[in-house]
């Protein structure tokens, strides 16, 4: 059973930075793509960033140029560095792991919640203006 545990959320001021991390347990990690999603109060959960097995990265337009996703297969961890935070970034951030996937993934695949089989419990990020 693979579990995902997020950490690093908290409070930041607009224009500031935060880093959230996700630790995976279990035998599978390097053969899966990973993603970050978020859910703001009263809104649907949305795609934020994804990284495939090759290290290719994909971002939603709302965070492109401000957020960076990275993975460390040896440590079974994925992180999301968030810079130049905005009040609209306030949300619960979820880490997710796909089913077994090809080496290269597409944006459409990583942006779809149906591609993911395991989800973390979420970590809250609050950005004050």
């Amino acid at each position: 059973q693979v579990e995902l545990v997020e950490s690093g959320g908290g409070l930041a001021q607009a224009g500031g930075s935060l880093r959230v991390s996700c630790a995976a347990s279990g035998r599978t990690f390097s053969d899966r793509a990973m993603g970050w999603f978020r859910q703001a109060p009263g809104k649907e959960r949305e795609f934020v960033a994804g990284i495939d097995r090759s290290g290719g990265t994909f971002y939603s337009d709302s965070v492109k140029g401000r957020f960076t996703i990275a993975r460390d297969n040896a440590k079974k961890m994925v992180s999301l560095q968030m810079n130049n935070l905005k009040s609209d970034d306030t949300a619960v951030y979820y880490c997710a792991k796909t089913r077994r996937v090809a080496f290269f993934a597409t944006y459409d695949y990583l942006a779809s919640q149906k591609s993911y089989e395991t989800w973390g419990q979420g970590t809250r990020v609050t950005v004050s203006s």
Side-chain angles (χ1 to χ4, degrees):
Q1 184 77 16
V2 176
E3 294 185 346
L4 302 173
V5 179
E6 299 96 337
S7 61
L11 178 65
Q13 291 188 332
S17 298
L18 276 178
R19 181 185 179 93
V20 290
S21 298
C22 173
S25 62
R27 296 167 58 184
T28 62
F29 184 81
S30 62
D31 61 346
R32 310 299 168 100
M34 301 294 296
W36 284 97
F37 289 76
R38 68 186 181 187
Q39 187 167 20
K43 294 186 177 181
E44 298 290 319
R45 188 162 59 184
E46 64 175 2
F47 173 74
V48 175
I51 185 166
D52 67 14
R53 292 175 58 196
S54 76
T57 57
F58 304 83
Y59 300 93
S60 67
D61 288 342
S62 62
V63 308
K64 195 174 298 182
R66 301 187 298 120
F67 289 13
T68 301
I69 186 172
R71 66 186 297 162
D72 185 332
N73 289 338
K75 295 182 178 179
K76 295 183 180 179
M77 294 194 70
V78 62
S79 62
L80 184 69
Q81 176 67 40
M82 303 182 289
N83 297 329
N84 191 20
L85 284 163
K86 305 176 180 180
S87 57
D88 287 347
D89 296 321
T90 295
V92 176
Y93 283 72
Y94 297 90
C95 170
K97 180 181 71 72
T98 68
R99 301 174 181 79
R100 189 172 180 178
V101 69
F103 197 64
F104 298 102
T106 64
Y107 176 91
D108 287 345
Y109 179 83
L110 292 178
S112 172
Q113 296 185 48
K114 295 180 180 179
S115 301
Y116 298 84
E117 66 174 6
T118 305
W119 294 80
Q121 83 289 349
T123 185
R124 186 174 301 277
V125 170
T126 302
V127 182
S128 62
S129 56

